[in-house]
Amino acid sequence: MRILVTGGAGFIGSNFIRHILSNYPDYHVTNLDKLTYCGNLQNLKDVDGRTNYAFVRGDIADSGVVEKAMAEVDCVINFAAETHVDRSIMSATEFITTDVNGTYMLLEAAKVQKMRRFLQISTDEVYGSISGAAAKEEDRFNPSNPYSATKAGAELIARSYFITHDLPVIILRPSNNFGPYQYPEKFIPLFITNALMDTPLPLYGDGKNVRDWLYVEDACAAIDLVLHKGEPGEAYNISGENKRTNIDVARLILKELGKPEELITLVKDRPGHDRRYSIDGSKVERLGFDRKTEFGSALKKTIEWYTKNTAWWQDIKSGEFKNYYKKQYGERHG
Ligand code: NAD
Ligand code: TDX
């Protein structure tokens, strides 16, 4: 199988490429990535040079680049996106360009090819905040921030290409991922790296918002399963079955690192902050998905990874991230 992975230099994409190359040595993976602020080829240095892996630097919103990259593949997995909610609140421009228009460009190029599968990686955020029962795949969308709204738009366009053009589109909606190579602007790696630096952990609001944490290796196994066994036209939630309040996760991180709870600092809340995500993951389980990791041990492995790979995140934290952090958190404190 020849697979085009977009956004493969990011967090989940790089873990997924490693997963595919180690489980399917006869597959070929082309990684199309623009290398934005969070795309990092260091995430894939162990697979670079393999004959069944190729990297192309390019933008999914550029039709010429996309048509060329797609010419010889039979499956597409679209991970490429602007992904950070806080950045989408500062400015949504790039989210509309990449998440919506970029997805459209990929679909247009795929339409004229004989594709076996087009996987659109969406998110549990499309359902918005869920106070009661877990959201099922057929439930209505209710996105609350510019990021989740663009992800909802992208998947609706993707679905329309299945209905109208017979493109074998499958939608995946994973819950919050965590694990190695996650950019330290996101909650878990931000809190681990700040704790390692003995700097405050900025907890939004009352810290009681709930997220459903999914270890990235389990997410990759689920995506692999859907790639091979998923039904075109269908959507699949991927849940970690692991709902926690943010303050509980912050305390676990500090406990594991032997750091004081006083590092937790309540700061001004995120505007439009979704209170709770909750998805019903039984559909992908019926397809055969079986989580391998328990939250405590996966969090421990993740903390160990960040503790060992200080150069990776220190490099990031001393670059573009520095200005972002000042802008984002400067006014939140006090
Ligand atoms: P990430 O931010 O770590 O990586 C995104 C990657 O996309 C980067 O390598 C970046 O360079 C690339 N990219 C951005 N714009 C591009 C463009 N125009 N053209 C080509 N490449 C571009 O993201 P992630 O956390 O790995 O998320 C991957 C996908 O999974 C996204 O679609 C995201 O919406 C979805 N998702 C993520 C989570 C999560 O918890 N991380 C949960 C659910 C869904
Ligand atoms: O500094 C922080 N303090 C804080 O309290 C940050 C960055 C986050 N938080 C809270 C906000 C959320 O309740 O932690 C929770 C998780 O925040 P993020 O890591 O920003 O993730 P979230 O907003 O839940 O979105 C994530 O999950 C769904 C990903 O970033 C998305 O790409 C994915 O689609």
Side-chain angles (χ1 to χ4, degrees):
M1 195 188 291
R2 296 182 68 88
I3 307 173
L4 177 65
V5 169
T6 68
F11 163 49
I12 309 178
S14 61
N15 279 284
F16 183 74
I17 289 175
R18 195 170 294 105
H19 169 96
I20 288 291
L21 294 178
S22 48
N23 287 284
Y24 305 95
D26 56 328
Y27 285 15
H28 187 280
V29 174
T30 301
N31 173 15
L32 173 64
D33 196 300
K34 187 179 172 183
L35 298 183
T36 64
Y37 75 92
C38 62
N40 187 350
L41 289 180
Q42 286 298 313
N43 300 0
L44 286 164
K45 63 177 186 310
D46 53 327
V47 305
D48 197 27
R50 290 206 194 176
T51 51
N52 59 344
Y53 169 73
F55 173 70
V56 177
R57 184 168 191 180
D59 187 338
I60 61 162
D62 180 334
S63 59
V65 167
V66 165
E67 279 162 26
K68 211 166 146 204
M70 213 175 275
E72 283 173 13
V73 298
D74 29 35
C75 291
V76 177
I77 309 180
N78 182 26
F79 290 95
E82 288 294 330
T83 61
H84 193 37
V85 172
D86 290 319
R87 290 191 194 243
S88 82
I89 295 167
M90 285 177 181
S91 166
T93 309
E94 295 298 323
F95 290 75
I96 290 162
T97 308
T98 290
D99 301 16
V100 180
N101 203 39
T103 302
Y104 163 62
M105 290 301 168
L106 289 169
L107 290 162
E108 270 297 289
K111 189 178 82 174
V112 296
Q113 306 247 140
K114 283 254 169 292
M115 282 284 147
R116 278 166 67 181
R117 290 277 191 279
F118 186 114
L119 265 55
Q120 171 66 11
I121 308 298
S122 189
T123 170
D124 64 350
E125 293 201 21
V126 295
Y127 300 111
S129 198
I130 305 285
S131 55
K136 285 185 178 290
E137 284 81 355
E138 60 277 14
D139 286 359
R140 71 179 279 262
F141 287 178
N142 192 21
S144 352
N145 58 65
Y147 161 72
S148 51
T150 58
K151 293 297 289 185
E155 70 155 281
L156 286 173
I157 301 166
R159 185 162 180 269
S160 80
Y161 272 64
F162 168 74
I163 298 166
T164 312
H165 298 297
D166 245 353
L167 189 68
V169 170
I170 306 180
I171 311 283
L172 292 93
R173 300 185 190 129
S175 60
N176 280 63
N177 276 230
F178 70 104
Y181 301 104
Q182 186 167 30
Y183 197 81
E185 65 189 353
K186 304 283 165 58
F187 175 65
I188 286 185
L190 178 72
F191 276 32
I192 295 172
T193 55
N194 277 18
L196 285 168
M197 293 161 62
D198 296 306
T199 54
L201 312 190
L203 193 61
Y204 295 165
D206 63 3
K208 294 197 179 130
N209 297 63
V210 172
R211 295 294 182 266
D212 170 10
W213 292 103
L214 171 69
Y215 190 52
V216 67
E217 283 177 14
D218 285 329
C220 291
I223 298 166
D224 171 350
L225 177 75
V226 172
L227 175 68
H228 292 94
K229 296 203 175 139
E231 198 58 47
E234 294 294 319
Y236 297 90
N237 291 337
I238 310 173
S239 163
E241 295 300 342
N242 177 41
K243 289 197 264 295
R244 312 255 169 180
T245 60
N246 293 335
I247 192 151
D248 284 348
V249 176
R251 286 190 178 124
L252 280 173
I253 291 170
L254 291 170
K255 190 166 173 226
E256 186 59 38
L257 285 169
K259 302 280 183 180
E261 283 201 8
E262 288 67 45
L263 280 177
I264 296 175
T265 310
L266 292 182
V267 298
K268 202 165 124 199
D269 208 356
R270 171 187 280 173
H273 194 177
D274 284 330
R275 190 65 172 167
R276 176 175 177 267
Y277 292 142
S278 177
I279 50 173
D280 180 327
S282 57
K283 185 172 172 184
V284 77
E285 284 164 12
R286 286 195 294 279
L287 206 62
F289 174 51
D290 187 14
R291 260 163 250 94
K292 294 271 181 285
T293 21
E294 177 272 320
F295 181 62
S297 60
L299 186 63
K300 206 170 160 193
K301 270 204 273 186
T302 304
I303 291 171
E304 275 165 17
W305 189 86
Y306 282 90
T307 306
K308 277 195 195 126
N309 291 275
T310 44
W312 182 88
W313 57 264
Q314 278 172 350
D315 215 33
I316 292 170
K317 283 201 164 192
S318 60
E320 178 269 357
F321 184 84
K322 226 163 138 181
N323 286 337
Y324 160 75
Y325 196 79
K326 214 182 282 167
K327 201 164 153 203
Q328 168 66 16
Y329 295 94
E331 61 190 39
R332 278 198 143 83
H333 285 285

